[in-house]
């Protein structure tokens, strides 16, 4: 029993000496690492058929384009984008006109032409805008996703005769936001 006690004591002393020796000779190696997160731009657009529609109303057949008042969208297109994110809003009528010159279709093969614009009587609003150049789109810079949306009114005027078959004429315009 005495021998076991003596061996245990010797082992304990040896471990303590080695631990002290290791602590006395300890060194430090340093390094670094990064914590990263990438935030990408985000935009949303609020435009809905039935809400932002442009309605010219009713006119007698063969009313000239000058006899039909220019109209604006019933409510604004709203765009919300990340803070300081540049964006361009492009409009494309269903005939894919890059200049915003559309054609409302109605009964038979008759059409009535119209032009989208940025302001009353203003320049065309089409789909040639890119981030580095507004072109005939409309550009802006995001105020942040928690800020109020930027709003834009679309204007349109009839550009052709209405000497067409009586009935309802309409077209669908696609709204795209590049960001």
């Amino acid at each position: 029993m005495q021998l076991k006690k003596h061996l245990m004591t010797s082992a304990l002393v040896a471990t303590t000496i080695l631990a002290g020796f290791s602590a006395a000779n300890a060194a430090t190696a340093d390094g670094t690492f990064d914590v990263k997160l990438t935030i990408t731009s985000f935009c949303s657009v609020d435009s809905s058929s039935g809400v932002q529609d442009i309605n010219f109303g009713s006119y007698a057949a063969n009313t000239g384009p000058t006899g039909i008042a220019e109209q604006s969208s019933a409510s604004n297109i709203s765009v919300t984008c990340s803070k300081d994110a540049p964006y361009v809003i492009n409009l494309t009528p269903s005939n894919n006109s890059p200049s915003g010159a559309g054609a409302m279709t109605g009964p038979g093969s008759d059409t009535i032409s119209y032009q989208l614009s940025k302001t009353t009587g203003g320049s065309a609003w089409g789909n040639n805008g890119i981030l580095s150049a507004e072109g005939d789109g409309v550009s802006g810079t995001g105020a942040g996703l928690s800020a109020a949306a930027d709003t834009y009114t679309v204007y349109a005027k009839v550009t052709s005769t209405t000497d067409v078959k009586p009935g309802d004429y309409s077209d669908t315009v696609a709204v795209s936001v590049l960001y």
Side-chain angles (χ1 to χ4, degrees):
M1 179 82 149
Q2 197 68 333
L3 180 62
K4 279 187 181 180
K5 193 176 186 184
H6 180 62
L7 284 174
M8 291 288 275
T9 303
S10 297
L12 185 59
V13 168
T15 303
T16 304
I17 290 171
L18 285 175
F21 181 72
S22 294
N25 291 326
T28 301
D30 296 322
T32 62
F33 67 90
D34 298 328
V35 177
K36 297 180 178 183
L37 172 66
T38 300
I39 303 295
T40 59
S41 294
F42 175 81
C43 288
S44 65
V45 61
D46 180 12
S47 68
S48 303
S49 181
V51 178
Q52 275 86 14
D53 293 353
I54 296 174
N55 188 340
F56 287 104
S58 294
Y59 289 88
N62 206 28
T63 301
T66 57
I68 300 173
E70 182 174 35
Q71 297 294 314
S72 65
S73 51
S75 64
N76 293 321
I77 295 173
S78 299
V79 176
T80 304
C81 285
S82 303
K83 185 175 183 182
D84 296 331
Y87 63 86
V88 175
I89 306 166
N90 287 319
L91 302 180
T92 307
S94 66
N95 65 0
N96 292 316
S97 167
S99 65
M104 295 177 276
T105 58
S109 60
D110 287 341
T111 61
I112 300 173
S113 299
Y114 67 91
Q115 176 65 54
L116 300 171
S117 61
K118 301 174 186 182
T119 59
T120 302
S123 58
W125 189 344
N127 65 10
N128 289 313
I130 58 175
L131 286 178
S132 60
E134 179 178 274
D136 61 4
V138 172
S139 64
T141 303
L145 301 177
S146 59
D150 295 321
T151 57
Y152 301 91
T153 302
V154 181
Y155 297 87
K157 63 182 175 184
V158 171
T159 58
S160 69
T161 183
T162 59
D163 187 13
V164 294
K165 186 175 183 177
D168 293 329
Y169 288 77
S170 66
D171 191 28
T172 300
V173 176
V175 179
S176 64
V177 178
L178 303 175
Y179 61 94

